PDB file of all heavy atoms in Angstrom:
ATOM      1  N   VAL A  27     -56.347-104.859  64.158  1.00  0.00           N
ATOM      2  CA  VAL A  27     -57.066-103.624  63.732  1.00  0.00           C
ATOM      3  C   VAL A  27     -56.663-103.349  62.285  1.00  0.00           C
ATOM      4  O   VAL A  27     -55.552-103.270  61.974  1.00  0.00           O
ATOM      5  CB  VAL A  27     -56.821-102.506  64.642  1.00  0.00           C
ATOM      6  CG1 VAL A  27     -57.460-101.173  64.088  1.00  0.00           C
ATOM      7  CG2 VAL A  27     -57.281-102.770  66.067  1.00  0.00           C
ATOM      8  N   CYS A  28     -57.648-103.195  61.501  1.00  0.00           N
ATOM      9  CA  CYS A  28     -57.473-102.880  60.004  1.00  0.00           C
ATOM     10  C   CYS A  28     -57.461-101.296  59.922  1.00  0.00           C
ATOM     11  O   CYS A  28     -58.488-100.712  60.284  1.00  0.00           O
ATOM     12  CB  CYS A  28     -58.648-103.524  59.315  1.00  0.00           C
ATOM     13  SG  CYS A  28     -58.622-103.394  57.558  1.00  0.00           S
ATOM     14  N   LEU A  29     -56.398-100.796  59.304  1.00  0.00           N
ATOM     15  CA  LEU A  29     -56.291 -99.356  58.947  1.00  0.00           C
ATOM     16  C   LEU A  29     -56.268 -99.098  57.539  1.00  0.00           C
ATOM     17  O   LEU A  29     -55.656 -99.821  56.796  1.00  0.00           O
ATOM     18  CB  LEU A  29     -55.050 -98.893  59.683  1.00  0.00           C
ATOM     19  CG  LEU A  29     -54.835 -98.929  61.149  1.00  0.00           C
ATOM     20  CD1 LEU A  29     -53.594 -98.534  61.692  1.00  0.00           C
ATOM     21  CD2 LEU A  29     -56.039 -98.164  61.815  1.00  0.00           C
ATOM     22  N   VAL A  30     -57.012 -98.108  57.124  1.00  0.00           N
ATOM     23  CA  VAL A  30     -57.039 -97.676  55.721  1.00  0.00           C
ATOM     24  C   VAL A  30     -55.791 -96.826  55.489  1.00  0.00           C
ATOM     25  O   VAL A  30     -55.661 -95.791  56.189  1.00  0.00           O
ATOM     26  CB  VAL A  30     -58.367 -96.921  55.318  1.00  0.00           C
ATOM     27  CG1 VAL A  30     -58.208 -96.455  53.871  1.00  0.00           C
ATOM     28  CG2 VAL A  30     -59.540 -97.840  55.453  1.00  0.00           C
ATOM     29  N   ILE A  31     -54.933 -97.230  54.606  1.00  0.00           N
ATOM     30  CA  ILE A  31     -53.698 -96.419  54.280  1.00  0.00           C
ATOM     31  C   ILE A  31     -54.004 -95.552  53.159  1.00  0.00           C
ATOM     32  O   ILE A  31     -53.499 -94.279  53.121  1.00  0.00           O
ATOM     33  CB  ILE A  31     -52.562 -97.355  54.015  1.00  0.00           C
ATOM     34  CG1 ILE A  31     -52.274 -98.165  55.273  1.00  0.00           C
ATOM     35  CG2 ILE A  31     -51.346 -96.609  53.647  1.00  0.00           C
ATOM     36  CD1 ILE A  31     -51.087 -99.231  55.035  1.00  0.00           C
ATOM     37  N   ALA A  32     -54.683 -96.043  52.174  1.00  0.00           N
ATOM     38  CA  ALA A  32     -54.943 -95.131  50.910  1.00  0.00           C
ATOM     39  C   ALA A  32     -56.323 -95.685  50.364  1.00  0.00           C
ATOM     40  O   ALA A  32     -56.611 -96.746  50.506  1.00  0.00           O
ATOM     41  CB  ALA A  32     -53.911 -95.429  49.819  1.00  0.00           C
ATOM     42  N   SER A  33     -57.062 -94.706  49.775  1.00  0.00           N
ATOM     43  CA  SER A  33     -58.434 -94.991  49.367  1.00  0.00           C
ATOM     44  C   SER A  33     -58.580 -94.789  47.916  1.00  0.00           C
ATOM     45  O   SER A  33     -58.156 -93.828  47.374  1.00  0.00           O
ATOM     46  CB  SER A  33     -59.398 -94.056  50.066  1.00  0.00           C
ATOM     47  OG  SER A  33     -59.483 -94.299  51.467  1.00  0.00           O
ATOM     48  N   GLU A  34     -59.297 -95.683  47.367  1.00  0.00           N
ATOM     49  CA  GLU A  34     -59.571 -95.741  45.886  1.00  0.00           C
ATOM     50  C   GLU A  34     -60.466 -94.455  45.593  1.00  0.00           C
ATOM     51  O   GLU A  34     -61.307 -94.073  46.319  1.00  0.00           O
ATOM     52  CB  GLU A  34     -60.542 -96.933  45.614  1.00  0.00           C
ATOM     53  CG  GLU A  34     -60.892 -97.028  44.101  1.00  0.00           C
ATOM     54  CD  GLU A  34     -61.613 -98.396  43.771  1.00  0.00           C
ATOM     55  OE1 GLU A  34     -61.614 -99.245  44.615  1.00  0.00           O
ATOM     56  OE2 GLU A  34     -62.205 -98.457  42.658  1.00  0.00           O
ATOM     57  N   GLY A  35     -59.975 -93.751  44.456  1.00  0.00           N
ATOM     58  CA  GLY A  35     -60.818 -92.611  44.066  1.00  0.00           C
ATOM     59  C   GLY A  35     -60.094 -91.210  44.648  1.00  0.00           C
ATOM     60  O   GLY A  35     -60.469 -90.278  44.345  1.00  0.00           O
ATOM     61  N   PHE A  36     -59.094 -91.357  45.470  1.00  0.00           N
ATOM     62  CA  PHE A  36     -58.404 -90.222  46.007  1.00  0.00           C
ATOM     63  C   PHE A  36     -56.853 -90.441  45.848  1.00  0.00           C
ATOM     64  O   PHE A  36     -56.387 -91.496  45.674  1.00  0.00           O
ATOM     65  CB  PHE A  36     -58.676 -90.266  47.601  1.00  0.00           C
ATOM     66  CG  PHE A  36     -60.107 -90.026  47.983  1.00  0.00           C
ATOM     67  CD1 PHE A  36     -61.021 -91.029  48.140  1.00  0.00           C
ATOM     68  CD2 PHE A  36     -60.555 -88.717  48.086  1.00  0.00           C
ATOM     69  CE1 PHE A  36     -62.166 -90.899  48.585  1.00  0.00           C
ATOM     70  CE2 PHE A  36     -61.845 -88.506  48.447  1.00  0.00           C
ATOM     71  CZ  PHE A  36     -62.790 -89.571  48.629  1.00  0.00           C
ATOM     72  N   ARG A  37     -56.218 -89.234  45.884  1.00  0.00           N
ATOM     73  CA  ARG A  37     -54.698 -89.323  45.742  1.00  0.00           C
ATOM     74  C   ARG A  37     -54.104 -90.009  46.918  1.00  0.00           C
ATOM     75  O   ARG A  37     -54.541 -89.770  48.050  1.00  0.00           O
ATOM     76  CB  ARG A  37     -54.153 -87.987  45.594  1.00  0.00           C
ATOM     77  CG  ARG A  37     -54.379 -87.387  44.261  1.00  0.00           C
ATOM     78  CD  ARG A  37     -53.559 -86.048  44.233  1.00  0.00           C
ATOM     79  NE  ARG A  37     -54.100 -85.350  42.979  1.00  0.00           N
ATOM     80  CZ  ARG A  37     -53.855 -84.040  42.876  1.00  0.00           C
ATOM     81  NH1 ARG A  37     -53.252 -83.330  43.844  1.00  0.00           N
ATOM     82  NH2 ARG A  37     -54.389 -83.429  41.828  1.00  0.00           N
ATOM     83  N   CYS A  38     -53.094 -90.777  46.646  1.00  0.00           N
ATOM     84  CA  CYS A  38     -52.355 -91.399  47.803  1.00  0.00           C
ATOM     85  C   CYS A  38     -51.675 -90.356  48.641  1.00  0.00           C
ATOM     86  O   CYS A  38     -51.053 -89.421  47.969  1.00  0.00           O
ATOM     87  CB  CYS A  38     -51.497 -92.534  47.219  1.00  0.00           C
ATOM     88  SG  CYS A  38     -50.805 -93.647  48.482  1.00  0.00           S
ATOM     89  N   PRO A  39     -51.707 -90.491  49.897  1.00  0.00           N
ATOM     90  CA  PRO A  39     -51.027 -89.270  50.758  1.00  0.00           C
ATOM     91  C   PRO A  39     -49.492 -89.434  50.680  1.00  0.00           C
ATOM     92  O   PRO A  39     -48.945 -88.496  51.147  1.00  0.00           O
ATOM     93  CB  PRO A  39     -51.541 -89.595  52.155  1.00  0.00           C
ATOM     94  CG  PRO A  39     -51.980 -91.062  52.189  1.00  0.00           C
ATOM     95  CD  PRO A  39     -52.372 -91.273  50.758  1.00  0.00           C
ATOM     96  N   PHE A  40     -48.961 -90.600  50.117  1.00  0.00           N
ATOM     97  CA  PHE A  40     -47.547 -90.738  50.123  1.00  0.00           C
ATOM     98  C   PHE A  40     -47.257 -92.009  49.315  1.00  0.00           C
ATOM     99  O   PHE A  40     -48.155 -92.669  49.039  1.00  0.00           O
ATOM    100  CB  PHE A  40     -46.953 -90.908  51.614  1.00  0.00           C
ATOM    101  CG  PHE A  40     -47.723 -91.858  52.374  1.00  0.00           C
ATOM    102  CD1 PHE A  40     -47.483 -93.226  52.189  1.00  0.00           C
ATOM    103  CD2 PHE A  40     -48.631 -91.408  53.381  1.00  0.00           C
ATOM    104  CE1 PHE A  40     -48.230 -94.115  52.937  1.00  0.00           C
ATOM    105  CE2 PHE A  40     -49.252 -92.378  54.157  1.00  0.00           C
ATOM    106  CZ  PHE A  40     -49.065 -93.713  54.007  1.00  0.00           C
ATOM    107  N   ILE A  41     -45.957 -92.192  49.014  1.00  0.00           N
ATOM    108  CA  ILE A  41     -45.526 -93.274  48.444  1.00  0.00           C
ATOM    109  C   ILE A  41     -45.075 -94.269  49.542  1.00  0.00           C
ATOM    110  O   ILE A  41     -44.347 -93.852  50.413  1.00  0.00           O
ATOM    111  CB  ILE A  41     -44.333 -93.180  47.426  1.00  0.00           C
ATOM    112  CG1 ILE A  41     -44.731 -92.327  46.162  1.00  0.00           C
ATOM    113  CG2 ILE A  41     -43.706 -94.520  47.073  1.00  0.00           C
ATOM    114  CD1 ILE A  41     -43.561 -91.948  45.387  1.00  0.00           C
ATOM    115  N   GLY A  42     -45.607 -95.428  49.616  1.00  0.00           N
ATOM    116  CA  GLY A  42     -45.302 -96.347  50.779  1.00  0.00           C
ATOM    117  C   GLY A  42     -44.478 -97.536  50.369  1.00  0.00           C
ATOM    118  O   GLY A  42     -44.750 -98.117  49.238  1.00  0.00           O
ATOM    119  N   TYR A  43     -43.504 -97.859  51.169  1.00  0.00           N
ATOM    120  CA  TYR A  43     -42.642 -98.929  50.994  1.00  0.00           C
ATOM    121  C   TYR A  43     -42.924 -99.886  52.281  1.00  0.00           C
ATOM    122  O   TYR A  43     -42.631 -99.518  53.333  1.00  0.00           O
ATOM    123  CB  TYR A  43     -41.262 -98.668  50.890  1.00  0.00           C
ATOM    124  CG  TYR A  43     -40.914 -97.792  49.652  1.00  0.00           C
ATOM    125  CD1 TYR A  43     -41.001 -96.424  49.738  1.00  0.00           C
ATOM    126  CD2 TYR A  43     -40.624 -98.378  48.510  1.00  0.00           C
ATOM    127  CE1 TYR A  43     -40.726 -95.628  48.596  1.00  0.00           C
ATOM    128  CE2 TYR A  43     -40.441 -97.672  47.241  1.00  0.00           C
ATOM    129  CZ  TYR A  43     -40.458 -96.283  47.372  1.00  0.00           C
ATOM    130  OH  TYR A  43     -40.251 -95.555  46.260  1.00  0.00           O
ATOM    131  N   LEU A  44     -43.500-101.014  52.059  1.00  0.00           N
ATOM    132  CA  LEU A  44     -43.792-101.913  53.094  1.00  0.00           C
ATOM    133  C   LEU A  44     -42.520-102.683  53.586  1.00  0.00           C
ATOM    134  O   LEU A  44     -41.922-103.349  52.857  1.00  0.00           O
ATOM    135  CB  LEU A  44     -44.807-102.989  52.561  1.00  0.00           C
ATOM    136  CG  LEU A  44     -45.742-103.716  53.549  1.00  0.00           C
ATOM    137  CD1 LEU A  44     -46.435-102.711  54.554  1.00  0.00           C
ATOM    138  CD2 LEU A  44     -46.692-104.509  52.942  1.00  0.00           C
ATOM    139  N   LYS A  45     -42.254-102.425  54.818  1.00  0.00           N
ATOM    140  CA  LYS A  45     -40.975-103.039  55.424  1.00  0.00           C
ATOM    141  C   LYS A  45     -41.317-104.356  56.125  1.00  0.00           C
ATOM    142  O   LYS A  45     -40.684-105.305  56.010  1.00  0.00           O
ATOM    143  CB  LYS A  45     -40.276-102.130  56.328  1.00  0.00           C
ATOM    144  CG  LYS A  45     -39.026-102.668  56.904  1.00  0.00           C
ATOM    145  CD  LYS A  45     -38.275-101.756  57.862  1.00  0.00           C
ATOM    146  CE  LYS A  45     -37.014-102.457  58.406  1.00  0.00           C
ATOM    147  NZ  LYS A  45     -36.165-101.561  59.149  1.00  0.00           N
ATOM    148  N   ILE A  46     -42.427-104.178  56.900  1.00  0.00           N
ATOM    149  CA  ILE A  46     -42.947-105.442  57.660  1.00  0.00           C
ATOM    150  C   ILE A  46     -44.430-105.487  57.524  1.00  0.00           C
ATOM    151  O   ILE A  46     -45.088-104.398  57.678  1.00  0.00           O
ATOM    152  CB  ILE A  46     -42.490-105.343  59.207  1.00  0.00           C
ATOM    153  CG1 ILE A  46     -41.134-105.428  59.336  1.00  0.00           C
ATOM    154  CG2 ILE A  46     -43.212-106.515  59.887  1.00  0.00           C
ATOM    155  CD1 ILE A  46     -40.537-105.163  60.769  1.00  0.00           C
ATOM    156  N   GLY A  47     -45.030-106.585  57.320  1.00  0.00           N
ATOM    157  CA  GLY A  47     -46.414-106.816  57.346  1.00  0.00           C
ATOM    158  C   GLY A  47     -47.013-107.117  56.032  1.00  0.00           C
ATOM    159  O   GLY A  47     -46.402-107.354  55.072  1.00  0.00           O
ATOM    160  N   GLU A  48     -48.434-106.963  56.109  1.00  0.00           N
ATOM    161  CA  GLU A  48     -49.271-107.385  54.846  1.00  0.00           C
ATOM    162  C   GLU A  48     -50.408-106.394  54.813  1.00  0.00           C
ATOM    163  O   GLU A  48     -50.981-106.092  55.772  1.00  0.00           O
ATOM    164  CB  GLU A  48     -49.707-108.810  55.044  1.00  0.00           C
ATOM    165  CG  GLU A  48     -50.456-109.389  53.808  1.00  0.00           C
ATOM    166  CD  GLU A  48     -50.850-110.760  54.078  1.00  0.00           C
ATOM    167  OE1 GLU A  48     -49.917-111.640  54.027  1.00  0.00           O
ATOM    168  OE2 GLU A  48     -52.068-111.044  54.226  1.00  0.00           O
ATOM    169  N   CYS A  49     -50.733-106.084  53.557  1.00  0.00           N
ATOM    170  CA  CYS A  49     -51.924-105.257  53.270  1.00  0.00           C
ATOM    171  C   CYS A  49     -52.810-105.940  52.253  1.00  0.00           C
ATOM    172  O   CYS A  49     -52.270-106.496  51.375  1.00  0.00           O
ATOM    173  CB  CYS A  49     -51.501-103.763  52.838  1.00  0.00           C
ATOM    174  SG  CYS A  49     -50.599-102.896  53.913  1.00  0.00           S
ATOM    175  N   HIS A  50     -54.042-105.692  52.433  1.00  0.00           N
ATOM    176  CA  HIS A  50     -55.077-106.104  51.429  1.00  0.00           C
ATOM    177  C   HIS A  50     -55.276-104.996  50.445  1.00  0.00           C
ATOM    178  O   HIS A  50     -55.212-103.896  50.748  1.00  0.00           O
ATOM    179  CB  HIS A  50     -56.384-106.515  52.004  1.00  0.00           C
ATOM    180  CG  HIS A  50     -56.285-107.852  52.786  1.00  0.00           C
ATOM    181  ND1 HIS A  50     -57.248-108.238  53.682  1.00  0.00           N
ATOM    182  CD2 HIS A  50     -55.438-108.867  52.715  1.00  0.00           C
ATOM    183  CE1 HIS A  50     -56.945-109.374  54.080  1.00  0.00           C
ATOM    184  NE2 HIS A  50     -55.856-109.832  53.583  1.00  0.00           N
ATOM    185  N   VAL A  51     -55.460-105.455  49.155  1.00  0.00           N
ATOM    186  CA  VAL A  51     -55.757-104.457  48.132  1.00  0.00           C
ATOM    187  C   VAL A  51     -57.255-104.663  47.735  1.00  0.00           C
ATOM    188  O   VAL A  51     -57.734-105.792  47.355  1.00  0.00           O
ATOM    189  CB  VAL A  51     -54.915-104.809  46.836  1.00  0.00           C
ATOM    190  CG1 VAL A  51     -55.312-103.790  45.777  1.00  0.00           C
ATOM    191  CG2 VAL A  51     -53.426-104.593  47.244  1.00  0.00           C
ATOM    192  N   LEU A  52     -58.030-103.597  47.883  1.00  0.00           N
ATOM    193  CA  LEU A  52     -59.443-103.647  47.705  1.00  0.00           C
ATOM    194  C   LEU A  52     -59.838-102.921  46.499  1.00  0.00           C
ATOM    195  O   LEU A  52     -59.195-101.837  46.238  1.00  0.00           O
ATOM    196  CB  LEU A  52     -60.287-103.108  48.888  1.00  0.00           C
ATOM    197  CG  LEU A  52     -59.875-103.597  50.320  1.00  0.00           C
ATOM    198  CD1 LEU A  52     -60.578-102.841  51.355  1.00  0.00           C
ATOM    199  CD2 LEU A  52     -60.222-105.065  50.393  1.00  0.00           C
ATOM    200  N   ARG A  53     -60.861-103.337  45.808  1.00  0.00           N
ATOM    201  CA  ARG A  53     -61.346-102.603  44.617  1.00  0.00           C
ATOM    202  C   ARG A  53     -62.889-102.464  44.789  1.00  0.00           C
ATOM    203  O   ARG A  53     -63.498-103.408  45.343  1.00  0.00           O
ATOM    204  CB  ARG A  53     -61.162-103.298  43.284  1.00  0.00           C
ATOM    205  CG  ARG A  53     -59.634-103.323  42.932  1.00  0.00           C
ATOM    206  CD  ARG A  53     -59.128-102.006  42.357  1.00  0.00           C
ATOM    207  NE  ARG A  53     -59.829-101.483  41.350  1.00  0.00           N
ATOM    208  CZ  ARG A  53     -59.596-101.589  40.077  1.00  0.00           C
ATOM    209  NH1 ARG A  53     -58.481-102.419  39.688  1.00  0.00           N
ATOM    210  NH2 ARG A  53     -60.331-101.019  39.141  1.00  0.00           N
ATOM    211  N   LYS A  54     -63.510-101.405  44.346  1.00  0.00           N
ATOM    212  CA  LYS A  54     -64.963-101.175  44.481  1.00  0.00           C
ATOM    213  C   LYS A  54     -65.647-101.876  43.297  1.00  0.00           C
ATOM    214  O   LYS A  54     -65.108-101.908  42.120  1.00  0.00           O
ATOM    215  CB  LYS A  54     -65.237 -99.685  44.543  1.00  0.00           C
ATOM    216  CG  LYS A  54     -64.811 -98.958  45.765  1.00  0.00           C
ATOM    217  CD  LYS A  54     -65.149 -97.610  45.688  1.00  0.00           C
ATOM    218  CE  LYS A  54     -64.699 -96.821  46.943  1.00  0.00           C
ATOM    219  NZ  LYS A  54     -64.806 -95.412  46.875  1.00  0.00           N
TER     220      LYS A  54
END
């Protein structure tokens, strides 16, 4: 399941430090 953590054009809800896993970086 793909979850949106932070969205382009909006403030990030937190500073995130990835401990385990992988995230994709998307641009519009």
